[in-house]
């Protein structure tokens, strides 16, 4: 049975809220008459409710709570709207409209000639794939008719689900993802180990600050600084132990790539493609801000220890072995990101397989001379189509498969090289690098949007 049919009853906090019109009625009673008189208070409350559309208030609260939970879990605005409308329809609301942005939701529910408008604010930007999957399943399995209490029971059960993994495991997943990035960037084995440790410790710092509700920009600054400093220290210790290693950008940048705001950037692109410009621009602005915060810390630490950006040659191994290495590194990178987003293992393994196939094909194409932008767009189109096939019938939300699968295609090292060139005054090389990175990121977004157009009729065709 669906989770929303099995949950425990909600607490009383989901009852009807107050309304401005009730204050007019209470204006005839002085405050001195109310304290200590429970019967008078109860009578006033009953009078208030007799003047208010209580049923519509309860329905509106359930609809808005659904949207707020979906938005806080990291899904795209168009999916939040879809979920709220599904709940409204099941509750018997005549007409429902909403406006969803990154930080707030405004929703209006109509029944006959009356309506209720509510606004909620979102201050949570953490991605939770497990919660997304359960909310999406609830949306798909709603009966034709339900009540606000039943919706709240379902949401209570979903909200009660904590993190699937312990803190140390979450940090280790970040380390695995970044270590895989380092392999794809031709890092040496000892560098890969240093990346793993640096990323894991940086993620621990980020979790510690995030759980204390520290500012997201500041959290990213600190986490990136921790990872970059630990990586530099690790390379120095390895050098002191006799290992001939230089602080190379391949490992250095890989150590902070767990901070990439992939969900914000990709859902922003999807929202903009749906002409939901405000939500899309806000998400992309947030993603850009987080990326810049990480870049500032990375650049600051690099002033202490200069980096080598010399292009490293590919490994001198057989072609088949090189392709196998690409596939393994791509798969582990995607797996690490998926688990970092609190994905259940079924979703993580499915995303791992999709990402390994798509990114390996992309790397082989680039090796054969295909422009990286074209190869990336085709690879992301493949990711979107494969994700839709695997998720068919509502098994998984497509976005929980597609976002981790494309994050390994982000050109992080090229972005840092552009930043280094910009700081050193080599503006021609810096602009060339920035344009290259921009084209690759646009290719990722174009590929995923194209996949949506061919696999999701609800998304591709707008109906009144």
């Amino acid at each position: 049975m669906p989770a929303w049919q099995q949950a425990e009853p909600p607490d009383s906090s989901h009852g009807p809220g107050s309304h401005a019109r009730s204050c007019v009625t209470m204006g005839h009673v002085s405050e001195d008459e109310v304290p200590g008189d429970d019967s008078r208070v109860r009578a006033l409350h009953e009078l208030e409710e007799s003047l208010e559309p209580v049923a519509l208030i309860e329905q509106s609260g359930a609809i808005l709570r659904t949207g707020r939970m979906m938005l806080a879990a990291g899904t795209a605005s168009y999916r939040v709207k879809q979920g709220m409308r599904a709940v409204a329809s099941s509750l018997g609301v005549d007409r429902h409209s909403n406006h969803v942005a990154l930080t707030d939701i405004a929703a209006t529910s109509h029944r006959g000639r009356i309506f209720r408008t509510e606004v909620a604010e979102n201050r949570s930007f953490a991605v939770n794939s497990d919660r997304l999957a359960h909310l999406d399943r609830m949306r798909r399995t709603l009966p034709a008719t339900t009540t606000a209490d039943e919706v709240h029971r379902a949401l209570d059960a979903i909200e009660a689900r904590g993190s699937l993994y312990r803190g140390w495991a979450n940090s280790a997943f970040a380390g695995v993802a970044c270590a895989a990035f380092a392999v794809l960037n031709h890092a040496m084995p000892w560098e890969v180990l240093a990346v793993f440790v640096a990323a894991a410790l940086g993620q621990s710092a980020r979790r510690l600050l995030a759980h204390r509700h520290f500012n997201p920009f500041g959290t990213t600054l600190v986490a990136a600084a921790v990872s970059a400093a630990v990586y530099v220290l690790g390379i120095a210790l390895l050098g002191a132990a006799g290992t001939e290693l230089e602080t190379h950008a391949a490992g250095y940048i890989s150590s902070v790539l767990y901070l990439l705001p992939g969900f914000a950037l990709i859902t922003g692109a999807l929202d903009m493609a749906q002409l939901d410009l405000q939500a899309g621009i806000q998400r992309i602005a947030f993603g850009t801000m987080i990326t810049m915060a990480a870049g500032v810390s990375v650049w600051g630490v690099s002033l202490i220890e200069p980096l080598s950006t010399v292009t490293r040659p590919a490994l001198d191994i057989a072609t088949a072995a090189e392709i196998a290495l690409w596939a393994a590194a791509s798969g582990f990178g995607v797996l690490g990101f998926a688990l970092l987003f609190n994905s259940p293992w079924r979703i993580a393994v499915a995303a791992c397989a999709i990402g390994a196939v798509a990114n390996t094909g992309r790397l082989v194409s680039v090796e054969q001379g295909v422009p990286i932008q074209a190869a990336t767009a085709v690879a992301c189109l493949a990711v979107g189509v494969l994700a839709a096939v695997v998720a068919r019938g509502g098994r998984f939300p497509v976005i929980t498969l597609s976002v981790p699968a494309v994050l390994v295609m982000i050109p992080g090292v090229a972005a840092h090289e552009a930043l280094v060139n910009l700081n050193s005054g080599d503006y021609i090389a810096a602009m060339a690098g920035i344009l290259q990175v921009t084209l690759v990121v646009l290719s990722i977004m174009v590929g995923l949007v194209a996949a949506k157009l061919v696999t999701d009729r609800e998304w591709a065709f707008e109906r009144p």
Side-chain angles (χ1 to χ4, degrees), residues 41-60:
V41 172
R42 284 196 298 272
L44 286 173
H45 288 171
E46 290 173 0
L47 181 59
E48 285 180 334
E49 293 188 0
S50 70
L51 299 174
E52 297 290 348
V54 178
L56 183 60
I57 291 172
E58 292 175 344
Q59 292 170 339
S60 176

Side-chain angles (χ1 to χ4, degrees), residues 14-19 21 48-65 84 87-97 107-119 146-149 151-152:
H14 303 308
S18 61
H19 194 278
R21 286 191 295 167
E48 285 180 334
E49 293 188 0
S50 70
L51 299 174
E52 297 290 348
V54 178
L56 183 60
I57 291 172
E58 292 175 344
Q59 292 170 339
S60 176
I63 295 167
L64 191 65
R65 186 184 176 204
M84 293 175 70
V87 173
S89 176
S90 185
L91 289 173
V93 173
D94 293 342
R95 183 161 56 90
H96 176 80
S97 58
T108 301
S109 300
H110 297 255
R111 192 178 69 226
R113 298 176 61 183
I114 62 175
F115 65 89
R116 174 149 179 107
T117 297
E118 292 190 67
V119 178
T146 188
T147 66
D149 283 343
V151 172
H152 280 304

